[in-house]
Amino acid sequence: MTNADGSQPRPRRRAPAGAAVLREDVTEAIRAAVFEELAAVGYARMSIEGIARRAGVGKTAVYRRWRSKLHLVLDIVSAIAVQGLPAPDTGSLEGDLRLLYEVTARALRHPVASQIIPDLQAEAARNPEIAELMQKALREGQEGVALKIVAAAERRGEIRTGVDDELALDLISGPLYWRSVVIRSPKLPKGYLAALARATTGALMAL
């Protein structure tokens, strides 16, 4: 068969092999398996083989998405850091902080999170690469939400414009993580989150 001008038609190019879109259900199964494996054996004994077995997939499916167990776990940690965290818009700085603390406290009290976070912290103390990447993942997640709260408070005139973002982030995120993750208080005192939101509001207004 020839074209109208007498030339031969060009053969159609096939899509390259391996160009298939990664299936989201497989990705989610792998992520769920990471939680189970971390809780069961800890980071040091966790393996790609074990994750793949729990997820019901081959090792190749894991390696197509993450190049090592470290990058896989850090991706999960980063997702946890922002998952479910709202960009609060209650109309006041104290209200926004209260909502943020309520959601964060629930996430940190989750049984799986309470097992995984201390284990990763222990690994971070031994491995500078894990420490650096874990800090970056957690910080970026918290920073995005906290700085939106600060920016909204500035627009409403509740705090002065141009506050130190680093200091504001420390004030917002530090106390709850200290109590829940560092000293691992089993239960927050009654009224603690409301008092923390009120105190943090006062501190930010004083910057």
Side-chain angles (χ1 to χ4, degrees):
M1 183 177 178
T2 60
N3 294 325
D5 59 2
S7 63
Q8 293 294 324
R10 293 182 179 180
R12 294 181 179 178
R13 297 180 62 185
R14 293 182 178 180
V21 176
L22 297 178
R23 287 173 49 186
E24 186 61 29
D25 59 328
V26 173
T27 302
E28 290 306 313
I30 294 171
R31 287 194 171 115
V34 172
F35 281 111
E36 296 172 6
E37 191 75 358
L38 275 171
V41 303
Y43 178 83
R45 294 174 57 197
M46 187 182 78
S47 67
I48 295 297
E49 291 83 356
I51 293 168
R53 186 167 53 250
R54 285 182 184 273
V57 300
K59 289 191 297 181
T60 303
V62 181
Y63 282 119
R64 287 181 66 194
R65 292 162 172 81
W66 299 277
R67 65 179 183 267
S68 70
K69 75 172 186 177
L70 172 59
H71 290 88
L72 171 53
V73 169
L74 289 172
D75 178 59
I76 300 296
V77 169
S78 181
I80 293 172
V82 297
Q83 187 178 33
L85 291 182
D89 187 18
T90 65
S92 73
L93 175 57
E94 185 174 334
D96 287 352
L97 291 172
R98 174 70 181 273
L99 179 57
L100 175 66
Y101 290 148
E102 288 175 350
V103 174
T104 303
R106 283 198 299 270
L108 292 175
R109 288 199 303 269
H110 190 282
V112 174
S114 65
Q115 279 185 283
I116 291 175
I117 292 176
D119 184 55
L120 289 178
Q121 285 181 318
E123 289 297 327
R126 295 188 288 266
N127 187 321
E129 183 184 12
I130 293 178
E132 181 181 353
L133 294 176
M134 185 176 172
Q135 181 186 47
K136 182 175 183 291
L138 289 172
R139 183 176 182 82
E140 287 178 351
Q142 284 293 307
E143 191 171 44
V145 177
L147 295 187
K148 285 180 182 178
I149 291 176
V150 170
E154 288 180 349
R155 289 194 299 271
R156 290 191 295 261
E158 294 177 282
I159 60 177
R160 71 175 181 84
T161 302
V163 300
D164 186 326
D165 286 343
E166 292 288 323
L167 184 54
L169 181 61
D170 290 344
L171 288 171
I172 293 172
S173 300
L176 187 56
Y177 272 87
W178 166 261
R179 181 176 285 270
S180 299
V181 177
V182 180
I183 64 174
R184 302 184 68 185
S185 177
K187 186 176 181 181
L188 296 175
K190 184 177 181 180
Y192 174 79
L193 295 180
L196 179 59
R198 188 164 53 250
T200 306
T201 297
L204 291 170
M205 293 174 67
L207 290 181

